[in-house]
Amino acid sequence: MRILLVEDEPLFRKGLAKMIAGSEASWEVCGEAENGLVAESLIAELQPDLVVTDIRMPVMDGLELLRSTKAVFPDIEFIVITGFQDFHYAQTALRSGALDLLVKPCSKPDMHEALAKADEFVQKKQMAARKEASEHQLRQENALRAVFLRFPYRQEAAPELERELRCSRLFVLHVADFLPEDRGYMKRDVPLLQYAVLNIMGELLDVYETLGTLLLIEAGRFALLLPAEASAEEERLLDAACSTVRQLLGLTVLVHNAGHVRSLSELADLYEAALAESTQSRVSADQGGKPEAALPVNRVRQQLIGAQAAALIMAGQAEALQQYLDELIKEMRAMDAEALPIEALSLSFALQDVARKQLEREYEARALTERIGKLNECRSGDEVCAWMKAETERFMQDYVEWQNRYSSNAVLRAVRYIEERYAEQLSLQQVASHVHLNAAYFSHLFKKETGRSFVNFLIDVRMDKAKLLLSNTNLNVTEVSGRVGYDLPNYFAKLFKINTGLSPKEYRKHITI
């Protein structure tokens, strides 16, 4: 997580930066500013997680910066530094949303304690936001399922669903038989197979980069809502869904194009018309022609697990990731025996998705089939937990291999890239992509290897180049600014003075004396 320092006294500001660098919390200084006005533009550019600011500064003080920032970026947190005489300002800062206060001259333990508090607060807030988003998605999915089945649902969900689904196309996918003779499945295997089918189709939506809504409606019956405009890619997606499920699980999936959705109220009619055209499955026949209600399937929880694991990877927190996975297995061990295999498969699919997106692992369909088979053979909770432990160990091995593959010489290659392209509008994301790392992990690694944040390193490189141009050419300040990557000469001049203690003109005069 990233900090912007705002302090008009350069020596005190550098002291704060050293304190932060020595902290155990996962923070890095991504930028520095000498007053609130400079900080405003940096906040918009850098989007830090935390701003540490003095209250008393020229041009724009810390209190005004706090208020203006919170109005635009309410999620950015503030630690405000104040003097004893400014206590009434400090109270106002807390009322305006500051997370914590430090009193000058603040000590290293004071700073580290404040950072630890901020670290815990921000991580809890981010996790709560992910959880709330997941719970909202689950509520919307439950409401949508109720619409399909003509059940009562929360009417407040309707406007959002109406916006999302209007003018989409509905496809109904139906597993013809969960108990094919050549596979030897038993009725108790159906929930696990159903969940596997759902996730295979969901994985293919990602692989084909198709925007759509996939929902389990009843046992063996799925609704897939795709954008109204038909495309060859979507036809290939549907073909791939059928062939992949057949290849991996030996199950036949029938696809029915139910037509365009003009309003939420006609979903049930379209769904029922598609089912009427469908051949009855063997499972349905065994149930007297009426499918069972589907067991609760919470793919939203799966997405939450994936999001949390991805966040820990991007922060470079390997130990925390291992601890998180261990806690998940411990939590799942206490679950109902019937639900445990589905939750185990949910964990596996979540990790597979993260491995593909974050760790650049290939989609291994055949390996997945083998692992599902092993899970299907588990006959006790202990065996299921052992299966999950093997899945998390495989994932952590993928993580270690990914780190080793790209961490070696990554920073050296990034430094070379910056040296070659410093005059361009370089971003952290661009440089991270060049060395094949995600941005957050690259930022963590770069700071660890160089002792400086990416932003500060880039500024230092540009300032060194500016010094050479000022010393050895007749280019004016505006021209020098452009040559080293800054479109705004005034902003360049401020950064140059922060870096050297002199304005560009003073530096040129000083160097020629």
Side-chain angles (χ1 to χ4, degrees), residues 1-5 20 27-32 42-43 46-50 428 443 447 452-457 459:
M1 289 179 275
R2 305 183 305 152
I3 298 176
L4 176 68
L5 287 180
I20 293 168
W27 295 101
E28 66 168 5
V29 176
C30 66
E32 299 180 15
L42 285 178
I43 287 171
L46 301 175
Q47 297 282 297
D49 299 288
L50 177 70
L428 175 68
S443 176
K447 173 68 177 296
R452 287 176 284 177
S453 70
F454 165 78
V455 171
N456 284 344
F457 185 89
I459 289 173

Side-chain angles (χ1 to χ4, degrees), residues 5 26 44 48 89 131 142 158 162-163 165 216 239 279-280 306 347 362 370 373 400 405 425 481 489 492 502:
L5 287 180
S26 54
Y89 286 117
K131 185 177 180 181
N142 288 337
E162 192 81 56
R163 287 193 302 272
L165 304 180
L216 172 65
D239 290 342
T279 305
Q280 289 293 316
L347 172 62
E362 293 294 327
E370 182 181 338
V400 170
R405 185 164 68 249
Q425 294 301 310
S481 174
F492 160 71
L502 299 170

Side-chain angles (χ1 to χ4, degrees), residues 406-418:
Y406 286 125
S407 294
S408 177
N409 296 322
V411 173
L412 183 62
R413 286 183 286 124
V415 167
R416 190 180 301 119
Y417 187 76
I418 293 168

Side-chain angles (χ1 to χ4, degrees), residues 311-384:
L312 292 169
I313 286 173
M314 289 189 289
Q317 297 183 7
E319 290 183 10
L321 177 60
Q322 182 66 70
Q323 183 179 359
Y324 174 66
L325 296 177
D326 290 343
E327 287 295 322
L328 279 175
I329 295 176
K330 183 178 178 182
E331 176 188 326
M332 290 178 182
R333 186 182 290 271
M335 289 181 172
D336 178 81
E338 187 179 21
L340 183 58
I342 294 179
E343 291 294 339
L345 191 57
S346 172
L347 172 62
S348 175
F349 273 118
L351 297 183
Q352 174 182 280
D353 189 52
V354 174
R356 183 171 60 81
K357 293 178 179 177
Q358 301 292 335
L359 308 181
E360 301 179 0
R361 297 291 297 182
E362 293 294 327
Y363 179 56
E364 299 178 283
R366 291 187 180 278
L368 175 64
T369 308
E370 182 181 338
R371 300 205 301 271
I372 291 175
K374 288 181 179 179
L375 175 61
N376 214 33
E377 294 169 2
C378 294
R379 294 294 177 263
S380 69
D382 287 342
E383 288 180 357
V384 174

